[in-house]
Amino acid sequence: MDKKTLSIILPGLLIAATGVGAGDLATAGFAGSHLGVAVLWAVVLGGLFKFALTEGIARWQLVNGDSLIDGLATRFGKPFIYIFLTYLVLWSFFVGSALISASGVSLHALLPILEPANGKIVFGIVCSLLGLLLVRGGNFALFEKVMGFSIAIMVVIVLSTAVVLWPGNSEVLSGLFIPSIPDVNGKGLTWTVALIGGVGGTLTIFSYGYWIREKHRTSRDDIRTCRIDLMVGYAVTILFGLAMVIIGNTVTVEGKGSGLIINLASSLEAALGPAGKWLFLVGAFFAIFSSLLGVWQAVPYMFADLMKHLTPSSSDKSDDSKTSAKLTETSSYKLFQLALALVPIMSLWVSFKEVQKLYSIVGTFFMPFLALALLYFNNRKGMGSDKNSLLFNGMLLVTLVFFSYVAWQKFFG
């Protein structure tokens, strides 16, 4: 692949790497273990949902010049800003905690030189600080290179593992094109819904808007490039999810979170031998660490973007701060990035169940709100010929209905 092609598709690959964390690995592996390859279609559907949302965010930005967060803040004012800030801070803490813990567990599995409990803590702190050093000490080009290397490692290893464990063409094709849900009256529906919702991340899809600014995509002429880029990125995300379901299909997996990934690797030893187990652990580590790195680099953009609307007299409100490069120079970006890498470390020792409940409540409504916002903003006259097509409106409507159903089930189901 030449440098020009890689430069075009890299922001989409960054979305793929950042969106695939420990939770997504575990969910896909668990779904495959308990439901088999019959739910492969759910991975494709989840990827299409996230593609529609991310494309809508990028299109709004390229047509209007502002980020979607700018548009929402201008349209709905301070109530939106405070609600989104609350969700962003809580999301950052709990996702950061999960990524630090998962990175620690997966690295300790590769280097079991300490007791498991201590290994998770020590290696988790090391991964968090290393991630901070890479995104704080380097530039965007270094971030791209590290993420590109991580993506290559995780994709090659996980896809190769799935190919070795291939269940058969007929089973895979049936799972892809004949939708069904095993144990639909039991936990089958719950895990299928979780699989659809977990593909490709949630809040991290906002990162794409800031990354394309780093690539100097700023006009309507760049919409086609972004669509190609996102198709590649979400194709990789879908392939990764399909591979994890296929891998999970071959073994019985128990546990949760990063512990489930370690159990999965141990189960694979019987099918692939010690080499297969260790290679899978390497792929899992790079998948988790690349997600951590992406979150550490991109999520502070959102915080800085919101804060400039609350601090109109500060330098963060300058016109230059509309560009990603300038946002990284604001005190809001730098302080939040530091807090993101350091504050969640305390979760390695302390439980925050009550705060997590608030995060869960706020977060449940994020995806349907985003789908609704894109249906509103991207159908306005100002979008001109770049308004939502019938296809994208349909995709967003289905996304809205699906995630509204998830929210309803969570509270009333």
Side-chain angles (χ1 to χ4, degrees):
M1 184 182 296
D2 59 45
K3 289 185 178 180
K4 183 177 180 180
T5 302
L6 183 60
S7 178
I8 290 173
I9 66 173
L10 199 49
L13 294 179
L14 294 180
I15 277 287
T18 304
V20 178
D24 308 291
L25 286 169
T27 299
F30 194 90
S33 177
H34 289 263
L35 304 178
V37 294
V39 292
L40 288 175
W41 61 271
V43 176
V44 179
L45 186 61
L48 290 175
F49 283 168
K50 300 300 172 62
F51 169 81
L53 292 171
T54 312
E55 189 276 346
I57 290 172
R59 184 153 38 90
W60 159 265
Q61 179 173 304
L62 292 172
V63 171
N64 294 278
D66 291 328
S67 68
L68 183 63
I69 286 179
D70 283 326
L72 291 166
T74 301
R75 176 66 179 83
F76 300 109
K78 288 188 176 181
F80 161 77
I81 296 172
Y82 288 126
I83 292 172
F84 196 92
L85 268 176
T86 299
Y87 176 52
L88 178 64
V89 170
L90 292 171
W91 183 94
S92 299
F93 180 82
F94 287 109
V95 170
S97 299
L99 287 171
I100 290 172
S101 177
S103 296
V105 170
S106 59
L107 186 55
H108 177 263
L110 289 169
L111 301 170
I113 57 178
L114 298 169
E115 291 295 321
N118 293 330
K120 180 183 78 169
I121 292 172
V122 172
F123 286 124
I125 293 172
V126 168
C127 288
S128 182
L129 296 180
L130 177 60
L132 178 64
L133 179 64
L134 287 170
V135 299
R136 193 72 171 264
N139 52 25
F140 187 72
L142 175 63
F143 169 69
E144 284 183 313
K145 289 177 182 177
V146 175
M147 290 289 277
F149 175 78
S150 299
I151 294 165
I153 294 293
M154 74 180 199
V155 168
V156 169
I157 290 177
V158 173
L159 291 185
S160 298
T161 303
V163 169
V164 172
L165 299 173
W166 194 255
N169 293 339
S170 60
E171 289 85 351
V172 171
L173 290 173
S174 177
L176 282 171
F177 299 109
I178 306 176
S180 65
I181 303 176
D183 190 28
V184 68
N185 295 320
K187 292 186 177 180
L189 181 60
T190 300
W191 277 106
T192 303
V193 168
L195 183 60
I196 296 171
V199 173
T202 52
L203 195 63
T204 53
I205 64 178
F206 272 104
S207 306
Y208 183 77
Y210 303 103
W211 287 331
I212 60 175
R213 280 180 175 171
E214 295 280 6
K215 305 299 289 185
H216 306 294
R217 298 181 196 172
T218 56
S219 72
R220 293 174 184 259
D221 295 335
D222 296 311
I223 292 176
R224 183 174 178 274
T225 301
C226 286
R227 283 178 178 158
I228 295 171
D229 173 23
L230 286 171
M231 286 178 187
V232 173
Y234 280 105
V236 171
T237 301
I238 289 169
L239 284 173
F240 199 86
L242 294 175
M244 283 303 303
V245 171
I246 290 170
I247 292 168
N249 174 64
T250 66
V251 295
T252 300
V253 183
E254 299 296 339
K256 59 181 180 179
S258 54
L260 188 148
I261 299 301
I262 306 306
N263 292 340
L264 176 57
S266 298
S267 299
L268 286 173
E269 187 170 9
L272 302 175
K277 169 191 172 182
W278 289 106
L279 278 174
F280 179 78
L281 284 174
V282 170
F285 170 73
F286 276 102
I288 295 167
F289 184 69
S290 64
S291 184
L292 179 148
L293 199 61
V295 169
W296 272 212
Q297 196 275 343
V299 172
Y301 283 135
M302 302 177 213
F303 183 79
D305 220 358
L306 288 164
M307 288 304 296
K308 74 186 183 189
H309 292 278
L310 294 178
T311 55
S313 60
S314 74
S315 60
D316 288 3
K317 182 63 177 176
S318 67
D319 290 337
D320 287 339
S321 70
K322 285 186 177 183
T323 68
S324 297
K326 293 299 180 180
L327 279 176
T328 59
E329 297 173 9
T330 63
S331 57
S332 299
Y333 179 94
K334 293 177 181 178
L335 289 174
F336 194 77
Q337 186 178 69
L338 192 64
L340 182 57
L342 298 179
V343 174
I345 288 175
M346 74 175 82
S347 68
L348 295 169
W349 293 277
V350 183
S351 175
F352 296 88
K353 289 183 179 179
E354 292 304 314
V355 183
Q356 189 169 16
K357 188 183 296 183
L358 175 61
Y359 152 73
S360 179
I361 291 172
V362 176
T364 301
F365 297 99
F366 170 72
M367 297 304 284
F369 171 78
L370 178 57
L372 190 61
L374 290 172
L375 282 167
Y376 171 73
F377 279 108
N378 285 355
N379 281 301
R380 300 180 74 184
K381 289 183 178 179
M383 293 294 290
S385 60
D386 293 307
K387 289 197 300 183
N388 283 348
S389 65
L390 185 62
L391 174 62
F392 276 98
N393 275 329
M395 292 173 71
L396 288 171
L397 280 170
V398 174
T399 304
L400 171 63
V401 171
F402 172 78
F403 284 106
S404 297
Y405 167 79
V406 173
W408 177 270
Q409 288 296 311
K410 190 164 186 175
F411 287 100
F412 305 106

